[in-house]
Amino acid sequence: MPDKEKLVITGGNPLSGDVRVSGGKNTSVAVVPAALLCDEPCTIENLPDINDVAALADILRKLGASVTYEPGRFMTIDAQYVKDSHVGYRDAQKLRASYYFMGALLGRGGKFNIAYPGGCEIGSRPIDQHIKAFKALGAAVDEKGGDVAAEAKELVSGNIFFDIVTVGATINAMLAAVKAKGTTMIYNAAKEPHIVDVANFLNSMGAKIKGAGTDNIRIRGVPYLRGCTYTVIPDQIETGTFMIAGAATYGDVTIRGCIPQHMEALSAKLLEIGVRVTNSDDAIRVRSGGVHRSVNVKTQAYPGFPTDLQQPITALLTTAQGVSTVTETIFNNRFKHLDDLRRMGANIRCMGRAALIEGVPRLLGSPTTAADLRGGAALIVAGLMAHGITEIYEPEFIDRGYEHIEEKLRSLGADIKREST
Ligand code: EPZ
């Protein structure tokens, strides 16, 4: 059993300098399983070196694919001889994105048997919309004992109207439909940048997907997908986390290799707070104005304010002047980080889905524990802001979504290190 670790941060230093973001976690964890649809070997570049990507490579190998993976560089996947379509409990539970093997295996060979996915405990996370999509394409789906089994004699095109906007189900519907005979329409689709990235990956193999990034996606089924080399987009949420950390420490940080257009909702909110945000082609510079105003944040599906940045920006708002509200509309239990922020001196009250944050002069370092990925990111932001020493236990949650987080923060002047407990 590897030693447990903790992050140790001595806060109070303004961050400054340049940092380069890695490839996107939420796009990579969809593109890697999607390679099962390819009839030839394909190579994916710019994958972040994070635990979730390594877990997916293991599952692909267990399914019979041959996988060459150089973390942080590329992964080559040859799925031509995959026969298996079962992903067991222990593997599926490792991450939420194991559900993408459902759409990929159904689209590849018309069947799958996969245990319910794991992932951050941020509220109830059913997969009813995923199943609705599979049924619309002609699959019989059976859920029992925590496993989902689906089979389609022949996948046929269909119309899929999602009852709610869902990233995972939108991507899974694309994966299952890309080789289904006829034209499939997806209505009320999610529009996140990684939806577009997955569609671009499939189209670079010869798929015929139009409308990704809008409410309606049209998919014309194709019989064959050729090999390709594809580079995934930079991580929208890592970019946002560094923007928030730069502002929260009253610093001056430039995030390089990002896509500023993906960050508009956060940039606008930071401007409201009194932070200067300057965009260039593939970089964003964030400079604190020295005084932060309280604001109201409400999470929405893209292009609204991302739910994955709700927790980090809450940390920033703990010392803004006045009372801010943060309303989480996507998940029903994404406030687990508030207790630790209160330990650090934050003044936060919860009213249903809204957190009311009354600004305090400063946070004070404290021992804390990450309860989920972005809650852990919020504790890092708070630790960088706080006077004194903050310890963050269970940092493995954070490692699932941020590549080399302490090295990147140290390059910006942060006093952060990883210690064995
Ligand atoms: C993806 O989760 C991301 N995870 C999440 O990021 C992100 O917070 C979320 O999208 C929203 O952007 C990955 O991409 C691996 P949803 P997902 O389906 O697909 C409900 C992170 O920190 N819903 O868009 O699970 C669901 O319960 C993680 O990187 C159903 O009711 O999100 C939620 O309330 C956390 N039925 C809402 O829809 C379904 O069948 C949005 O969920 C599916 C979803």
Side-chain angles (χ1 to χ4, degrees):
M1 181 73 177
D3 259 0
K4 298 294 272 179
E5 296 177 318
K6 63 181 175 181
L7 292 175
V8 180
I9 301 171
T10 303
N13 307 337
L15 297 186
S16 68
D18 291 18
V19 66
R20 179 164 291 276
V21 289
S22 303
K25 161 178 114 61
N26 289 344
T27 185
S28 300
V29 297
V31 166
V32 167
L36 281 169
L37 290 158
C38 190
D39 297 290
E40 299 172 3
C42 65
T43 295
I44 306 160
E45 297 179 330
N46 198 34
L47 292 170
D49 178 8
I50 55 175
N51 301 349
D52 276 13
V53 170
L56 294 171
D58 288 344
I59 296 173
L60 279 173
R61 292 189 182 101
K62 287 185 180 175
L63 286 168
S66 69
V67 179
T68 307
Y69 177 36
E70 300 222 357
R73 292 193 52 231
F74 70 88
M75 187 186 293
T76 298
I77 300 157
D78 182 351
Q80 294 180 72
Y81 306 108
V82 167
K83 295 275 181 293
D84 195 350
S85 59
H86 170 67
V87 176
Y89 171 77
R90 292 287 291 162
D91 285 327
Q93 278 289 308
K94 281 178 188 162
L95 70 166
R96 175 87 179 151
S98 56
Y99 57 26
Y100 289 133
F101 285 105
M102 295 179 181
L105 287 167
L106 190 65
R108 169 195 171 85
K111 65 178 180 175
F112 67 79
N113 184 326
I114 298 182
Y116 270 99
C120 287
E121 291 179 16
I122 51 181
S124 66
R125 301 180 80 177
I127 58 168
D128 58 302
Q129 300 295 302
H130 300 243
I131 290 166
K132 173 176 186 163
F134 301 149
K135 287 180 175 171
L137 297 171
V141 183
D142 184 29
E143 296 175 76
K144 61 173 175 292
D147 290 332
V148 186
E151 182 135 17
K153 294 277 174 291
E154 184 190 31
L155 274 179
V156 293
S157 57
N159 287 339
I160 302 164
F161 199 106
F162 285 125
D163 301 320
I164 48 166
V165 174
T166 150
V167 168
T170 299
I171 291 176
N172 249 340
M174 282 201 298
L175 299 181
V178 76
K179 290 181 153 180
K181 277 192 179 38
T183 298
T184 293
M185 286 302 300
I186 302 174
Y187 299 102
N188 198 22
K191 303 193 276 284
E192 272 68 5
H194 33 291
I195 309 265
V196 178
D197 209 27
V198 173
N200 290 341
F201 169 61
L202 294 169
N203 284 341
S204 62
M205 296 195 282
K208 294 190 184 325
I209 301 174
K210 287 231 177 302
T214 73
D215 296 305
N216 304 324
I217 300 175
R218 191 198 69 199
I219 301 160
R220 287 217 167 92
V222 294
Y224 189 88
L225 290 176
R226 59 183 180 277
C228 73
T229 295
Y230 188 80
T231 301
V232 298
I233 57 172
D235 195 306
Q236 174 201 19
I237 305 303
E238 184 191 19
T239 301
T241 305
F242 283 121
M243 289 169 69
I244 291 168
T249 55
Y250 300 97
D252 179 350
V253 168
T254 300
I255 298 98
R256 298 208 178 280
C258 65
I259 300 176
Q261 289 72 17
H262 292 167
M263 308 313 303
E264 290 303 333
L266 172 63
S267 297
K269 198 50 71 177
L270 289 175
L271 288 168
E272 268 186 65
I273 291 170
V275 176
R276 282 174 289 171
V277 180
T278 316
N279 290 347
S280 50
D281 283 354
D282 66 349
I284 297 181
R285 184 181 179 189
V286 170
R287 280 168 288 174
S288 169
V291 176
H292 294 163
R293 295 186 286 270
S294 56
V295 293
N296 298 321
V297 174
K298 188 170 187 177
T299 63
Q300 300 287 340
Y302 191 84
F305 191 93
T307 173
D308 294 346
L309 292 174
Q310 175 262 107
Q311 294 156 293
I313 204 164
T314 298
L316 182 158
L317 292 172
T318 59
T319 60
Q321 291 189 347
V323 179
S324 301
T325 62
V326 173
T327 307
E328 172 57 66
T329 70
I330 307 291
F331 291 105
N332 57 20
N333 186 13
R334 201 166 196 173
F335 282 151
K336 286 183 188 160
H337 54 298
L338 298 185
D339 282 341
D340 274 332
L341 293 181
R342 293 184 184 108
R343 278 176 65 85
M344 298 174 76
N347 180 349
I348 305 176
R349 280 181 299 120
C350 257
M351 293 171 70
R353 288 201 168 211
L356 273 68
I357 307 152
E358 181 153 0
V360 296
R362 73 176 62 79
L363 295 181
L364 300 172
S366 165
T368 64
T369 302
D372 54 67
L373 165 56
R374 308 301 176 185
L379 297 178
I380 287 182
V381 172
L384 294 168
M385 294 163 67
H387 288 237
I389 294 174
T390 296
E391 296 169 316
I392 303 175
Y393 291 86
E394 315 285 346
E396 53 274 15
F397 278 109
I398 302 166
D399 297 335
R400 291 190 41 202
Y402 293 93
E403 179 186 65
H404 309 150
I405 184 77
E406 65 262 34
E407 288 87 342
K408 289 183 178 179
L409 287 171
R410 271 203 294 273
S411 76
L412 294 173
D415 180 342
I416 178 171
K417 52 186 180 292
R418 190 179 289 253
E419 291 179 1
S420 157
T421 57

